[in-house]
Structure formats: C-alpha cells, structure tokens
Amino acid sequence: MNLYLNGMGFRAIEVLKQQSFEVRAQVEQVSIDMWGRFPNVVEKVFPNAVVVIDRFHVMKAVNQELNKIRKQVGALGRGSQFI
C-alpha cells in the first residue's frame, strides 16, 4: 500500500490514526514535500513506511541553487557555455 500525503496540515495525525494500526503498518512508502513537518507525521503514523521526497520539490530546490550560482558567476542567458 502506498500513500501520497500532500498539504494535509497538522490534523493529519488525528485523521490518519483513525485507521487501525494494522492498516497503518502496511503502508510501505509515503511521498511528501521536502519541507514542513510531514516527515514527523509519517514517523508517528506509519511505523514501517519509507519517506520518499517528491521529485518536483527536489528539482525545484536544485534549480534555485543553480540559478544562484549562475548569477554569482555571470553565466546567464541561453548562449552561455557555463553551468
């Protein structure tokens, strides 16, 4: 069983714990945003789940950092041969 946890807020623990422990223990993976308190929710509610950070947020963070470096070294524009 897989679960996608997106934008549920702090009521998530209450809502998810309404499921029996046996059901929650069967969750194998939970895909979450990389920020916020979602990892804590997953840890408390799904004891056997592996946290998977969704690719969109990982790539967004990587691109933001790359753009900072591009600006620092002056490598801007489509024709640039750097970064």
Side-chain angles (χ1 to χ4, degrees):
M1 176 192 277
N2 295 326
L3 174 72
Y4 182 73
L5 180 61
N6 183 19
M8 292 181 69
F10 297 108
R11 276 202 60 230
I13 293 174
E14 295 171 26
V15 171
L16 293 170
K17 281 196 170 182
Q18 290 176 3
Q19 295 292 323
S20 69
F21 180 80
E22 291 77 22
V23 170
R24 292 184 286 120
Q26 292 177 34
V27 175
E28 298 171 358
Q29 300 174 0
V30 179
S31 177
I32 61 171
D33 293 347
M34 63 191 294
W35 293 281
R37 298 184 181 164
F38 290 128
N40 294 336
V41 171
V42 173
E43 187 178 303
K44 290 177 182 174
V45 178
F46 304 107
N48 300 321
V50 173
V51 173
V52 179
I53 305 298
D54 72 279
R55 188 173 106 180
F56 170 81
H57 287 92
V58 171
M59 292 310 298
K60 180 180 176 185
V62 168
N63 284 322
Q64 286 174 340
E65 293 304 314
L66 265 176
N67 285 335
K68 287 179 188 176
I69 293 169
R70 286 183 181 114
K71 289 176 185 176
Q72 289 174 355
V73 299
L76 300 172
R78 278 199 165 275
S80 178
Q81 62 184 7
F82 303 103
I83 306 180

